[in-house]
Amino acid sequence: MSVVLRFVFAYARFFGGETGPAGLVEQNYLRRHVQPGSVVVDIGGGDGKLASRIAETAGLVAILDREATSLEGADNSVYAGSLTRALRSRRYGHVIPIQGNAASLPFRDRSVDVIVSSQLLEHLD
């Protein structure tokens, strides 16, 4: 493996993920802004990692995902079945997966307290 590639992987491990600086900032932000008992929707929540962290405080967390991406050249098999994986690996019973589209939210007005989305914008056309 080249030096450059090793650096890229080390950088991604350090700065990305739940325990990297970006993940810790995200977790701290959510702890401050998601009130106990809140109804939260995680748009583009995929396999539910963020939803699981939110569920520690929230009363209900819905993961809304279409299980596909529009990223050019991306392998959609990585995204397919993400909601099933979220359901299997959830730590809290009040995390529910919903297949849907961020462009057309299936929720009534004022039925949600908080909407979060992490790492979604790059998947939108």
Side-chain angles (χ1 to χ4, degrees):
M1 182 182 308
S2 74
V3 172
V4 172
L5 198 51
R6 281 197 312 262
F7 173 78
V8 168
F9 284 127
Y11 181 88
R13 274 193 309 274
F14 180 76
F15 285 102
E18 295 178 16
T19 58
L24 295 176
V25 166
E26 183 176 65
Q27 289 173 42
N28 288 333
Y29 179 85
L30 291 171
R31 276 192 207 101
R32 288 193 313 269
H33 291 87
V34 175
Q35 300 299 315
S38 297
V39 175
V40 180
V41 175
D42 180 7
I43 298 176
D47 59 9
K49 289 184 181 113
L50 179 60
S52 289
R53 290 196 309 266
I54 295 168
E56 294 170 2
T57 304
L60 176 71
V61 181
I63 305 168
L64 180 75
D65 202 289
R66 67 180 187 152
E67 299 189 310
T69 182
S70 59
L71 288 174
E72 188 174 327
D75 180 2
N76 267 304
S77 67
V78 171
Y79 302 97
S82 62
L83 293 174
T84 299
R85 290 190 299 276
L87 189 59
R88 273 193 235 132
S89 66
R90 69 183 176 174
R91 294 181 294 191
Y92 302 94
H94 57 278
V95 174
I96 58 168
I98 300 171
Q99 190 165 20
N101 191 326
S104 178
L105 300 178
F107 305 104
R108 292 188 326 264
D109 290 349
R110 298 179 190 11
S111 64
V112 173
D113 299 308
V114 179
I115 295 178
V116 298
S117 184
S118 179
Q119 302 180 33
L120 172 74
L121 292 178
E122 69 270 18
H123 295 273
L124 301 176
D125 291 331

